[in-house]
Amino acid sequence: MFSSYDEISYLLKDDINEMNKIRFKTILKYIFGWIFLFASIIIPAIFGLSIPNAGIQWLAAFIFFFGTIASIVSFFKTLGTFRMAFKRKVVRSLLKALFETANLPEDNPNYEMKWGYSSQGKINNLLIGESGLFYLNRIDRVSGEDLIKGKIGSTDFYFSELKLFKQVRDYRGRSNTKLKTRYQGVLYLADFHKHFKGHTILRDRKLFSFQHLKRYFRHHFHRMLSGKKLITIKMENDEFNKYFKVRTTSEFEARYILSPNLMEDLVAFRKRNRNPIDIAFKKRFISLFLYNKKDYFEPSIFDSMEKQSKLVYDDLILFFRIINDLNLNTRIWSKD
């Protein structure tokens, strides 16, 4: 359906050339910023230590303090400007090219392709709650970015990077609290074209690191405390059971949702992703949370724009193919 990167690269040529110019200017500003920072430290130090004069020493301290502050502010401003330019010229242009060049099914004249992008947006808190993935932990704060939403075929979708925090007591005293990251990754929601009466969740069984092990025990502990009446069931597909643990409020509905074909599709999708994936079916959504500390769609001044543009393309295709990989446009139910 979606064109390859080589097929759409000509549409990105002007924006990539413009970003290469911006990248070169950013590198120059970055270098001059470091020179100015070192000068703000070394020159005042030399004059302040070599000239025993109180006025000179105060002037040296003034230059050191304000020169350092100005350099740090300049660094953040320069990199922030470069970052926003990248998202505007590369990420947005890639999205536009992907959707405008997509090959639509000829046998379905009603097939729709829509997209929207907000670099500073995120999935709203209502949808995060409706995803059914985070019911075990109290969430006190949410941050996120790079909200992408739209429609592929008959399926509406939303996804964005998210960090979900819980407020915990600081060890330094009862009155002190701090925010601790509970979940970090990408939340993806798609319309499943059915209103679920129950709540079914698939927890990834695989443990790849100490962080994943902590996640497993945290879920187990909070499940015991939550009192939520989800039962664990075993599916008929042995390979599926190796990857996912199924818990649900309705065994009948869970087995109805998890058809043999869907279980095979979920296993195939899981195999293509090294990091853990939790999946939930609640209300009208299938929700996926891909655990990952990666910062998606973030540029670097040290790599070429052509290379970074291809990396963004690969990330976008991973998420856009979820609808086709899981056959979400194949309507076997009607909403009721």
Side-chain angles (χ1 to χ4, degrees):
M1 171 183 286
F2 288 105
S3 301
S4 68
Y5 181 77
D6 291 337
E7 290 173 327
I8 64 172
S9 59
Y10 74 96
L11 296 171
L12 310 171
K13 186 176 180 181
D14 291 341
D15 288 314
I16 288 177
N17 288 337
E18 183 65 24
M19 274 307 304
N20 276 321
K21 294 177 183 178
I22 295 173
R23 172 174 166 260
F24 179 70
K25 292 178 182 177
T26 302
I27 291 173
L28 289 179
K29 290 180 180 178
Y30 196 71
I31 292 171
F32 284 123
W34 276 108
I35 292 173
F36 185 76
L37 177 61
F38 283 124
S40 299
I41 297 172
I42 294 173
I43 294 176
I46 292 173
F47 280 93
L49 294 174
S50 61
I51 302 176
N53 182 286
I56 296 295
Q57 290 175 345
W58 275 106
L59 179 62
F62 178 85
I63 294 172
F64 167 77
F65 179 77
F66 284 99
T68 302
I69 295 297
S71 298
I72 293 172
V73 171
S74 177
F75 280 140
F76 280 105
K77 185 177 179 180
T78 298
L79 294 177
T81 301
F82 174 68
R83 176 177 176 269
M84 294 310 297
F86 179 83
K87 296 197 175 191
R88 184 177 67 253
K89 291 185 173 294
V90 175
V91 179
R92 185 174 290 276
S93 296
L94 263 169
L95 282 164
K96 186 173 184 289
L98 278 169
F99 276 76
E100 288 184 350
T101 62
N103 299 311
L104 305 185
E106 295 181 359
D107 58 348
N108 188 351
N110 297 319
Y111 202 94
E112 294 184 74
M113 297 287 285
K114 299 178 181 178
W115 67 278
Y117 173 59
S118 173
S119 62
Q120 296 180 309
K122 67 172 180 64
I123 292 177
N124 65 56
N125 292 352
L126 178 63
L127 288 179
I128 292 173
E130 289 186 351
S131 72
L133 287 165
F134 312 111
Y135 69 95
L136 290 176
N137 276 327
R138 187 184 81 249
I139 303 300
D140 294 310
R141 186 175 297 179
V142 179
S143 68
E145 61 182 352
D146 294 314
L147 171 64
I148 299 174
K149 60 183 180 179
K151 192 171 189 177
I152 297 177
S154 302
T155 304
D156 295 305
F157 68 88
Y158 314 80
F159 66 92
S160 76
E161 292 183 65
L162 285 181
K163 275 188 179 182
L164 281 69
F165 302 92
K166 182 180 179 181
Q167 199 170 50
V168 296
R169 184 176 296 167
D170 197 338
Y171 69 91
R172 290 173 294 182
R174 291 186 177 182
S175 61
N176 296 320
T177 60
K178 62 180 180 179
L179 291 173
K180 187 171 183 179
T181 304
R182 285 305 190 195
Y183 298 92
Q184 181 176 354
V186 175
L187 176 60
Y188 184 102
L189 293 93
D191 182 6
F192 204 70
H193 205 68
K194 179 175 175 61
H195 289 294
F196 303 115
K197 295 178 181 178
H199 179 191
T200 298
I201 187 164
L202 282 56
R203 293 292 187 195
D204 200 304
R205 288 182 179 272
K206 295 296 180 180
L207 303 173
F208 292 102
S209 68
F210 180 65
Q211 292 298 324
H212 299 159
L213 185 64
K214 285 202 305 183
R215 164 183 157 271
Y216 172 81
F217 284 112
R218 186 170 69 243
H219 280 155
H220 185 73
F221 175 72
H222 284 287
R223 187 168 66 244
M224 290 189 298
L225 294 180
S226 69
K228 193 171 179 69
K229 296 180 180 179
L230 271 74
I231 60 171
T232 301
I233 63 173
K234 190 174 182 179
M235 305 306 292
E236 292 77 14
N237 186 319
D238 290 336
E239 188 175 22
F240 177 87
N241 291 328
K242 289 180 182 178
Y243 283 98
F244 298 105
K245 182 177 183 178
V246 181
R247 305 192 76 248
T248 182
T249 57
S250 171
E251 181 175 356
F252 175 79
E253 186 175 64
R255 295 189 183 279
Y256 186 59
I257 295 167
L258 295 170
S259 65
N261 287 338
L262 181 56
M263 285 192 286
E264 290 177 5
D265 292 336
L266 289 171
V267 168
F269 179 74
R270 175 62 185 80
K271 286 180 176 179
R272 288 192 293 272
N273 297 275
R274 183 183 183 278
N275 292 306
I277 301 170
D278 286 344
I279 303 167
F281 301 86
K282 187 180 180 185
K283 294 194 174 181
R284 63 187 178 93
F285 292 113
I286 174 175
S287 308
L288 299 88
F289 192 77
L290 289 74
Y291 291 84
N292 201 330
K293 292 186 177 181
K294 175 181 177 180
D295 245 347
Y296 290 87
F297 316 135
E298 294 298 325
S300 168
I301 61 173
F302 303 109
D303 288 325
S304 71
M305 284 298 107
E306 291 79 4
K307 178 181 178 181
Q308 294 185 71
S309 177
K310 178 61 169 61
L311 292 174
V312 171
Y313 171 87
D314 292 339
D315 289 335
L316 289 172
I317 287 297
L318 166 68
F319 296 111
F320 289 147
R321 284 181 175 165
I322 289 176
I323 290 174
N324 287 333
D325 287 348
L326 303 184
N327 292 307
L328 298 182
N329 278 320
T330 303
R331 300 310 188 189
I332 59 175
W333 295 295
S334 60
K335 289 186 177 180
D336 48 30

